[in-house]
Amino acid sequence: MRKKRTLLTKLLSFFIPITIFKQNSSVSNSIEITWSNGQLVLDSKNTNYSYGSLQRILRKGLQTIGFENIKTLDSILVLGVAGGSVIKTLVNEVEFKGEIIGVEIDEDIISLANKYFKLEEIPNLTIRIEDANKFVQKSNKTFDLIIIDIFQDNCMPGFLFETAFIENTISNLNPSGYLLFNTMINSKIDQERNKHYLSFFNPEEFTTYSLPKVEVYNELIVVKKTKN
């Protein structure tokens, strides 16, 4: 009976989103698990947190770096895990076998990710319940790819664009490593903010490029470290 009910819900979700779980967390005002277009997605009150459009956005960023290129890397850091859609892309589509460390401040979201998206079953994944800003500040480990995907509902925390966080992120990046940063552009102020962010990367040491208007409002920033 439960399987039939799930199948019916899945079919109906192609016509209208169907929320099956909703709660407030200590960090996020609202978290929802919803069937949409035949798949489960994790949403906040005003935006998609995992799977759905967010998975498409970060998949495009990974495709820009190159799946075959990513497969050769040894370690990946994901700052902002939510439901883990980018991690699922890395494991299931890229077929990445190396170490993945995911940093997520919201323990309630990770509990939902384990329950609904089976995140805990990924053998090469370690989850840290921690503030990403503090993690990069104290970490003595470096990574071949760092993915930044941190939102509070549809807003981006200010620390992501502060000098200390940027410098700490760079120091956590291996020689020839990549940085993939998912940002949201809602105004000219946001556009200038991103330009200012890119100005931190010396062109003699880094190659940078942007992918604007991904799923309308998102801009992906890709950085490659070219000099030790």
Side-chain angles (χ1 to χ4, degrees):
M1 177 64 78
R2 179 177 295 180
K3 288 184 178 180
K4 289 183 179 179
R5 186 163 59 246
T6 300
L7 179 59
L8 178 60
T9 301
K10 185 176 180 178
L11 291 172
L12 289 173
S13 73
F14 284 98
F15 302 96
I16 184 172
I18 300 173
T19 299
I20 61 172
F21 181 86
K22 184 176 181 178
Q23 76 170 54
N24 292 332
S25 77
S26 56
V27 178
S28 304
N29 290 331
S30 177
I31 308 170
E32 299 178 0
I33 301 293
T34 301
W35 280 100
S36 179
N37 293 316
Q39 69 170 347
L40 282 176
V41 300
L42 174 66
D43 293 330
S44 66
K45 182 179 180 180
N46 296 301
T47 194
N48 176 239
Y49 261 11
S50 283
Y51 307 93
S53 63
L54 181 65
Q55 188 167 26
R56 293 192 297 271
I57 290 165
L58 289 174
R59 182 187 288 115
K60 184 168 185 178
L62 296 176
Q63 288 171 334
T64 300
I65 296 171
F67 281 14
E68 290 302 316
N69 190 16
I70 294 170
K71 285 175 70 172
T72 68
L73 305 180
D74 294 320
S75 57
I76 296 176
L77 174 64
V78 179
L79 300 176
V81 174
S85 57
V86 69
I87 294 170
K88 286 294 188 75
T89 300
L90 287 168
V91 172
N92 297 335
E93 299 180 41
V94 179
E95 298 181 342
F96 179 75
K97 304 296 184 183
E99 178 186 30
I100 304 173
I101 293 181
V103 178
E104 173 59 54
I105 195 172
D106 194 335
E107 187 172 7
D108 293 329
I109 280 185
I110 295 299
S111 295
L112 292 177
N114 290 335
K115 179 179 179 180
Y116 289 97
F117 305 107
K118 310 301 180 185
L119 209 59
E120 62 189 353
E121 296 180 4
I122 298 175
N124 56 329
L125 171 65
T126 301
I127 295 292
R128 302 279 187 88
I129 305 298
E130 195 169 346
D131 184 296
N133 197 12
K134 294 179 180 178
F135 179 90
V136 297
Q137 181 180 3
K138 68 180 185 181
S139 175
N140 56 9
K141 185 175 175 59
T142 55
F143 300 86
D144 298 312
L145 169 60
I146 298 176
I147 300 170
I148 306 172
D149 185 40
I150 299 175
F151 292 86
Q152 293 173 339
D153 196 15
N154 58 354
C155 298
M156 302 191 70
F159 76 82
L160 295 172
F161 302 94
E162 293 176 356
T163 302
F165 178 79
I166 298 170
E167 291 180 346
N168 287 330
T169 304
I170 292 172
S171 70
N172 280 268
L173 198 60
N174 281 330
S176 301
Y178 293 88
L179 179 67
L180 174 60
F181 187 15
N182 180 25
T183 72
M184 187 172 288
I185 302 291
N186 291 311
S187 66
K188 289 185 177 180
I189 293 175
D190 293 340
Q191 290 175 341
E192 292 302 316
R193 175 205 66 195
N194 279 19
K195 288 181 181 178
H196 182 66
Y197 176 85
L198 286 167
S199 71
F200 280 89
F201 299 93
N202 186 336
E204 295 183 358
E205 301 177 28
F206 300 92
T207 299
T208 64
Y209 46 99
S210 301
L211 302 175
K213 297 183 179 180
V214 183
E215 297 284 324
V216 183
Y217 296 109
N218 291 75
E219 179 172 85
L220 290 170
I221 294 173
V222 180
V223 178
K224 178 174 172 54
K225 199 172 187 179
T226 55
K227 186 177 179 180
N228 296 353

